[in-house]
Amino acid sequence: MTKVLIPFDFSEQAQNALQFATNLSAKFENVQITVLHVIEVPASSGMGTMGGGEAIPEYENQMFFIELMDRRKQQFRDMETQYAGNSYGFNTKIVLGNAFQNISSAIQEENPDLVIMGSKGSSGLEEVLIGSNTEKVVRTSHCPVVTVKAAVDPTIFKKIVFASDFREDQDELAHRLKNLQKWFDADLYLVIINTPGSFETTRESAARIKKFAAKYEIEHAVAEIYNSDSEEAGIVEFAEDIDADLIAMATHGRTGLAHLFTGSIAEDVVNHAKRPVWTFKTK
């Protein structure tokens, strides 16, 4: 069984992620979709319990949380009815607390094969200092994450861009990348972004891509070298130039000071790309 987890906040982007997941899952057998909604609770609030056992904040707006919980439960019951009877399994879950912490816990407990999330992207001070829940999940998830912004139909995807420097052995990543290509039945564009700060000849870049493709027996692949001012911009620009359906990347999952000082190319692409992005955290 292929397990898909969808963190869901009822935004337009979350609806797009859900539609992406259900459209894709309808193509396959034995897919189980779990939709997770986190009702955020201020960390400083005290906690009480409702009759159903859920914890709620004990302060003046307590009734608001009770009404919100009831409304979300009804929305999820309606959603389960809407998606019942399809070729895939569908269930929902509501929890209270911090969104990122609960999503991370669900990934650990559910052990999904894929997380699909909506993303608005971020920029400026928010991008540098805070980041979004989606960005944090991309950085820490042990399973692949697909981020979705606009409404797209994954059943007609034909072009996947995989950007890398192809310098390291990437056995697990290559295995998952081949599965991704098989899922979409798409051509794979293996691209190195050549920048002024890390320039190399086309011959050197092409040789590394060819070695990668041969080692991991990747078929229906095209090698590309693309020149740009930065790796992040080059990946987004190349995907736009060939009208790619999906961008695929690895992330090293740095956190804390290492992330603050070095950043993450994958997270920058997730923030700035208009098309869906598949990421996988490598060791």
Side-chain angles (χ1 to χ4, degrees), residues 195-225:
T195 66
S198 59
F199 176 82
E200 66 178 8
T201 67
T202 297
R203 176 177 289 186
E204 291 173 306
S205 296
R208 284 207 310 281
I209 296 175
K210 183 178 180 180
K211 181 179 179 182
F212 176 88
K215 177 177 181 178
Y216 297 112
E217 299 179 338
I218 296 176
E219 299 178 347
H220 306 292
V222 179
E224 295 280 359
I225 294 89

Side-chain angles (χ1 to χ4, degrees), residues 25-204:
S25 299
K27 292 178 58 178
F28 303 96
E29 297 180 354
N30 298 322
V31 176
Q32 176 64 48
I33 295 175
T34 298
V35 181
L36 171 70
H37 177 63
V38 182
I39 297 179
E40 295 219 44
V41 176
S44 60
S45 67
M47 301 296 289
T49 56
M50 294 171 58
E54 299 91 348
I56 61 171
E58 291 179 340
Y59 57 97
E60 293 180 357
N61 291 328
Q62 191 177 65
M63 287 305 299
F64 167 79
F65 277 85
I66 295 174
E67 293 171 358
L68 179 60
M69 176 67 78
D70 289 341
R71 184 163 69 252
R72 293 306 192 210
K73 285 182 176 179
Q74 183 58 55
Q75 287 174 304
F76 268 8
R77 283 194 291 268
D78 293 342
M79 190 181 291
E80 288 179 348
T81 300
Q82 176 185 351
Y83 290 101
N86 287 294
S87 59
Y88 49 84
F90 190 94
N91 66 283
T92 61
K93 182 178 181 180
I94 299 176
V95 295
L96 277 154
N98 176 271
F100 170 66
Q101 290 176 358
N102 277 281
I103 293 169
S104 297
S105 295
I107 292 173
Q108 293 296 326
E109 295 166 6
E110 302 282 343
N111 194 28
D113 300 287
L114 182 67
V115 175
I116 302 178
M117 295 186 70
S119 173
K120 294 180 181 179
S122 58
S123 60
L125 189 62
E126 180 191 17
E127 183 177 4
V128 173
L129 297 180
I130 303 172
S132 64
N133 287 319
T134 303
E135 185 178 331
K136 294 174 187 176
V137 172
V138 165
R139 191 187 312 154
T140 59
S141 173
H142 67 266
C143 70
V145 179
V146 172
T147 54
V148 178
K149 292 177 182 174
V152 291
D153 182 1
T155 63
I156 60 173
F157 281 11
K158 290 301 177 186
K159 296 179 182 178
I160 298 174
V161 170
F162 175 60
S164 175
D165 60 9
F166 300 95
R167 293 185 184 277
E168 302 173 359
D169 289 334
Q170 304 178 79
D171 295 8
E172 177 66 14
L173 173 63
H175 171 70
R176 291 181 181 271
L177 186 65
K178 289 174 68 175
N179 284 342
L180 179 74
Q181 183 186 24
K182 184 177 179 180
W183 253 47
F184 290 105
D185 189 24
D187 291 329
L188 193 60
Y189 290 74
L190 306 175
V191 60
I192 288 177
I193 306 301
N194 214 0
T195 66
S198 59
F199 176 82
E200 66 178 8
T201 67
T202 297
R203 176 177 289 186
E204 291 173 306

